Amino acid sequence: MIRSYEKTDEPSWLRCRVLSLLNTAYYDDVRQIKDTYKSASIELVAAEGEEIIGLIDLELDTHAGEVCSNPQFRGAMIRNLAVHPDHQRKGIGQLLLLEALERSRAAGTQYLEAWTRDDQWVRDWYDKMGFRPTESCFEVYIESEEDLKAVIECKVPHLRPKSMFAHYDGSDKAFVFSKFSRAHEVIRYDLEL
Ligand SMILES: CC(C)(COP(=O)(O)OP(=O)(O)OC[C@H]1O[C@@H](n2cnc3c(N)ncnc32)[C@H](O)[C@@H]1OP(=O)(O)O)[C@@H](O)C(=O)NCCC(=O)NCCS
């Protein structure tokens, strides 16, 4: 059953999200509290009895460019999308998307925007649903002391940075993937409504 999220869904929603991300490039993106949004939102779940087995959250532009990237059209950003690993590839993600699309259209949204890392099967899902890739950037994690010393200088006495997360907006993909032990290409997908 696809329905609106309710506050009592939160524990099961969090479990579904974290389990679904475990074998993706977002494996350590863990939440203990469900996200809430500044702008209007569409928050849907796929429920099987009491259990949440899928979820989608969209945050909506009130005016173009407020939440999403395109300054000319009113968009809705996919903030969370997950299907429980025991229930993937059964059409639940598509059902969630279709309901979200219907509600977005009714709210005056002109396109959907999503950003995802380099999991080919997740990209395949976006392609299959009709999204098209529009741009990309890179995210890197720096965890060795040697690499950290080469990029940052800490000015606080006695403080020794152990790791760093950074965005790289250059275009040298080969550099990013050879230099850092953990790097992701993050792709933006758009779907016109
Ligand atoms: C991406 C996701 C939401 C799709 O939901 P779903 O209910 O599994 O997918 P659907 O049944 O609607 O669509 C199936 C299609 O998605 C792709 N797909 C989904 N899971 C796949 C897998 N494990 N391996 C390969 N392709 C897969 C395929 O294109 C598949 O079509 P096919 O079965 O005809 O080959 C879901 O797999 C998921 O939760 N992924 C992990 C969380 C995640 O990465 N979220 C997005 C972060 S931006």
Side-chain angles (χ1 to χ4, degrees), residues 31 44 48 64 82 90 132 138 152 193:
R31 308 267 157 85
L44 302 175
E48 191 173 68
K90 295 180 188 167
R132 60 180 174 82
F138 299 93
I152 54 169
L193 301 193

Side-chain angles (χ1 to χ4, degrees), residues 20 81-83 88-94 116 121-122 125 128:
S20 132
L81 168 67
V83 172
Q88 285 176 4
R89 240 170 159 172
K90 295 180 188 167
I92 295 170
Q94 183 172 26
T116 195
W121 56 284
V122 177
W125 184 84
K128 197 171 175 181

Side-chain angles (χ1 to χ4, degrees), residues 145-191:
E145 282 199 38
E146 202 179 304
D147 284 349
L148 273 171
K149 274 189 201 145
V151 294
I152 54 169
E153 185 192 337
C154 182
K155 293 183 175 154
V156 181
H158 308 295
L159 193 69
R160 290 186 295 123
K162 289 287 185 188
S163 67
M164 178 179 164
F165 170 70
H167 282 210
Y168 171 82
D169 58 13
S171 57
D172 192 347
K173 186 172 177 174
F175 161 76
V176 172
F177 283 95
S178 62
K179 174 80 186 157
F180 306 108
S181 56
R182 184 173 170 197
H184 299 287
E185 184 172 21
V186 191
I187 300 185
R188 172 181 157 197
Y189 281 95
D190 284 2
L191 177 68

Side-chain angles (χ1 to χ4, degrees), residues 3 9 43-44 55 74 129 132 141 157:
R3 60 164 173 79
D9 295 326
E43 299 170 46
L44 302 175
L55 58 96
R74 274 179 63 193
M129 297 302 124
R132 60 180 174 82
Y141 291 82

Side-chain angles (χ1 to χ4, degrees), residues 7 24-25 32 73 85 87 93 111-112 135 146 152 158 187 189:
K7 183 66 187 155
T24 74
Q32 290 185 303
F73 301 105
H87 300 276
Y111 81 105
L112 250 57
E135 61 175 313
E146 202 179 304
I152 54 169
H158 308 295
I187 300 185
Y189 281 95

